[in-house]
Amino acid sequence: MDLLREILQTLRNNRLRTFLTGIAVAWGIFMLIILLGMARGVLNSFENNNWAKTSNNISVYQGVTSRAYKGFREGRGIKPEMADMEILEQKNPQHVEKVTTYSSLNNTNFSTSKDYITVSPKGVYPAQGKRDDIKIKYGRFINEADLNYKRKVIILEESNAKALFGDASSAVGKRIKGYDLSWLVVGVYQHDWRTDVYVPFTTAKQLTGNDPYTWNMAVEIKNVSTMEDGEKAEKEIRSTLSNRHDFDPEDQSALYFYNQFTNYLKSRSIFNILNISVWIIGIFTLLSGIVGVSNIMFVSVRERTHEIGVRRAIGAKPRHILLQIITESVVITTLFGYIGVVLGMIVTQLIAYLTADKGFLENPTVSLEIAAEVTVVLIISGLLAGYFPARKATKVKPVEALRDE
C-alpha cells in the first residue's frame, strides 16, 4: 500500500508530463487494436468465403500432351471420360471422397404462359449446390434420385422464377417448357450474382446424346491437412489418369489440374504474414510511447536522487528502489494502455456495425485471446520502460545522493 501511495503521489506531482507520455502509449495500443481488428476482419471474410469452404477440391480439365509417351506423339488431346470418375474413387480411397462434373447445354427458351427466359442450363450433381454457394429459398436442390431416374426437374434463380410465374414463392411444383419438353420446378434459390438454371447432370447428358466424355471433373479430396497432403493427393489422381489415358504422369499439360486445397493454404499463409506484419507495425507504433515512459522515468529518477539517497541511508535495499521504479512504469503503461484498448475495441465494434453487409470485412473485432496478448505486451513494455531507469537508481551511492541539490 505504501508503494502504491508513493506511485500515485509521484503521478499527481507530474500530471501534465505523465498525461502527455501516457497519451503516446494509449495511441500505440489503440492503433495496435485497430490494426489487429481489421486483419481479423479480413481473415474472417476469407475463411467464410465459399471458395474457402469448398477448398478440398481438385479440378481436372482436358489438355494436350507436350511429350511423347509409349509410342504416342506429343500434341495428343486428352479428354476425361465419364468412366474416370468411378475409377478415381475406386483406385484412390485414401484421398478421393467423391468425383463430380457438370455440363452446359445450348441456349434455349424456357417459357410459361406469362413470360420466357433465355438461358444455358447447367447439368449438375447435388454437390454443385455447395460449390456454387446456392441458398435454396423455396423447395430443394438436385438430389441423387433426380440423377438416377434422369428426371426433368429444374432449379431457378429467384428473379427468373418471378419473371416466369409472377411470384417466386409459387413457382415450386409448377411446370415450364424448354427443349420441347416439360420441366418440373423443384427449387428456387437466391444468389448475389448467379442466375444459372440447374438440371440433373444425367438428364443433360441424355439431351446431348450421352457423350462418354466430359471436359472437366471436380474431385473432392479427404484426409488432407498440409501442403504435402494436397500435393500427394494430386499426384495420385494424375497417376491414375495417366495410366487410363497413356500420357506421361510428369506431363503437366496433358491434363490441367487446379488444386484448390493447396492454393487455399498458400492464400492462408499470406494472411498469417499479414497478421505478423500488423503486430510488428503496432509494436513499433507502441515503441514511441514506451520510449516516452522510459524518458519520464529517467527524469523522475534524476529529480528524486536526494530522496533515493535518504531511503538508501536508512536501510532501503536496491531491490526496493528497483521495484518502485519498475512498478511505477508498469502502472503508467498499463493504465494508459487499457484506455487505448477500450477505445480501440469501441472503434472496432463501430467498424463491424458499419461493414456488416459489405463482405470485405467480417466481424473485425478483437477476441479475448488478442486482449490477453495485448495485456502481456503492456506488462512487458512497462517492465522494459522502467528497467533501465531503475538500474540507474540502484547504482546511486547514498553519500553522493545526499549531496545532490
Side-chain angles (χ1 to χ4, degrees):
M1 293 301 295
D2 290 339
L3 177 60
L4 290 176
R5 278 196 294 269
E6 288 179 12
I7 291 171
L8 293 175
Q9 183 177 351
T10 302
L11 297 182
R12 282 196 298 267
N13 293 339
N14 300 279
R15 291 177 184 175
L16 180 61
R17 187 171 63 192
T18 302
F19 176 75
L20 294 177
T21 304
I23 286 296
V25 175
W27 176 256
I29 289 294
F30 173 79
M31 289 304 299
L32 178 58
I33 291 294
I34 294 295
L35 291 171
L36 289 173
M38 297 293 283
R40 177 58 62 90
V42 173
L43 178 59
N44 289 341
S45 180
F46 171 76
E47 292 288 1
N48 292 321
N49 185 280
N50 189 61
W51 182 79
K53 291 179 181 177
T54 58
S55 61
N56 60 329
N57 275 281
I58 297 177
S59 298
V60 184
Y61 301 93
Q62 63 188 30
V64 178
T65 60
S66 61
R67 302 178 184 181
Y69 187 71
K70 289 185 177 180
F72 293 101
R73 296 172 56 186
E74 71 274 10
R76 184 165 49 98
I78 304 295
K79 185 182 288 188
E81 298 178 5
M82 298 297 299
D84 294 338
M85 297 167 59
E86 185 176 351
I87 289 173
L88 282 176
E89 293 179 9
Q90 292 175 350
K91 298 287 187 180
N92 305 282
Q94 181 182 358
H95 286 128
V96 176
E97 178 71 29
K98 196 170 200 178
V99 184
T100 60
T101 184
Y102 73 89
S103 63
S104 296
L105 298 175
N106 294 329
N107 266 16
T108 191
N109 292 335
F110 282 93
S111 62
T112 63
S113 58
K114 289 182 177 291
D115 207 343
Y116 73 92
I117 58 173
T118 302
V119 292
S120 175
K122 289 176 70 173
V124 299
Y125 282 76
Q128 195 70 35
K130 180 180 179 182
R131 197 170 292 120
D132 287 354
D133 194 26
I134 298 302
K135 297 178 176 64
I136 294 294
K137 188 170 183 181
Y138 307 108
R140 62 173 177 82
F141 196 67
I142 304 296
N143 60 29
E144 292 293 337
D146 297 332
L147 294 174
N148 295 335
Y149 296 106
K150 301 178 183 178
R151 291 172 176 168
K152 297 176 182 65
V153 296
I154 194 167
I155 312 296
L156 298 174
E157 190 269 332
E158 188 175 20
S159 62
N160 286 335
K162 187 175 181 181
L164 291 171
F165 298 100
D167 180 13
S169 62
S170 65
V172 176
K174 294 184 178 178
R175 292 188 171 272
I176 61 176
K177 292 182 179 179
Y179 298 110
D180 294 325
L181 298 169
S182 176
W183 299 81
L184 177 67
V185 179
V186 295
V188 176
Y189 72 92
Q190 279 184 323
H191 199 277
D192 293 336
W193 52 272
R194 288 187 186 277
T195 58
D196 295 315
V197 167
Y198 295 95
V199 300
F201 179 80
T202 51
T203 308
K205 288 297 282 185
Q206 194 172 44
L207 289 174
T208 58
N210 289 315
D211 183 356
Y213 296 99
T214 181
W215 71 280
N216 75 91
M217 290 187 296
V219 184
E220 184 179 337
I221 56 178
K222 61 183 179 180
N223 301 325
V224 290
S225 57
T226 65
M227 188 73 71
E228 291 74 18
D229 293 338
E231 291 172 350
K232 182 180 179 182
E234 179 181 336
K235 187 175 181 180
E236 289 177 358
I237 293 167
R238 187 183 291 276
S239 177
T240 301
L241 293 174
S242 79
N243 291 331
R244 280 271 300 161
H245 297 280
D246 293 319
F247 66 84
D248 189 339
E250 300 300 321
D251 188 351
Q252 300 297 312
S253 67
L255 286 173
Y256 174 71
F257 279 64
Y258 178 72
N259 194 327
Q260 191 169 329
F261 179 76
T262 56
N263 279 277
Y264 164 76
L265 292 184
K266 290 175 185 176
S267 300
R268 188 67 173 75
S269 66
I270 292 174
F271 285 97
N272 291 335
I273 294 172
L274 172 64
N275 195 51
I276 293 171
S277 300
V278 164
W279 271 103
I280 292 174
I281 294 170
I283 288 174
F284 271 103
T285 304
L286 178 62
L287 188 61
S288 61
I290 301 306
V291 171
V293 173
S294 187
N295 286 336
I296 192 177
M297 297 313 300
F298 272 116
V299 173
S300 177
V301 168
R302 181 69 186 89
E303 291 178 347
R304 293 154 63 188
T305 302
H306 190 78
E307 174 195 333
I308 292 172
V310 171
R311 294 184 63 186
R312 291 290 305 278
I314 61 176
K317 296 181 178 179
R319 68 172 182 271
H320 296 148
I321 307 298
L322 187 72
L323 178 62
Q324 180 180 351
I325 304 299
I326 289 180
T327 305
E328 190 174 320
S329 173
V330 170
V331 167
I332 295 174
T333 307
T334 305
L335 175 62
F336 286 95
Y338 269 108
I339 292 174
V341 170
V342 172
L343 292 177
M345 293 181 71
I346 292 172
V347 172
T348 54
Q349 290 288 348
L350 179 61
I351 294 173
Y353 173 76
L354 295 175
T355 60
D357 300 322
K358 303 301 181 183
F360 63 93
L361 282 178
E362 187 169 324
N363 191 26
T365 56
V366 293
S367 62
L368 290 176
E369 180 184 354
I370 292 179
E373 291 171 356
V374 171
T375 301
V376 173
V377 170
L378 283 174
I379 294 172
I380 293 175
S381 299
L383 290 171
L384 291 176
Y387 176 71
F388 295 103
R391 278 194 62 187
K392 181 179 178 181
T394 59
K395 291 180 180 179
V396 175
K397 295 181 180 180
V399 175
E400 294 178 1
L402 290 172
R403 293 199 192 108
D404 187 78
E405 295 295 336

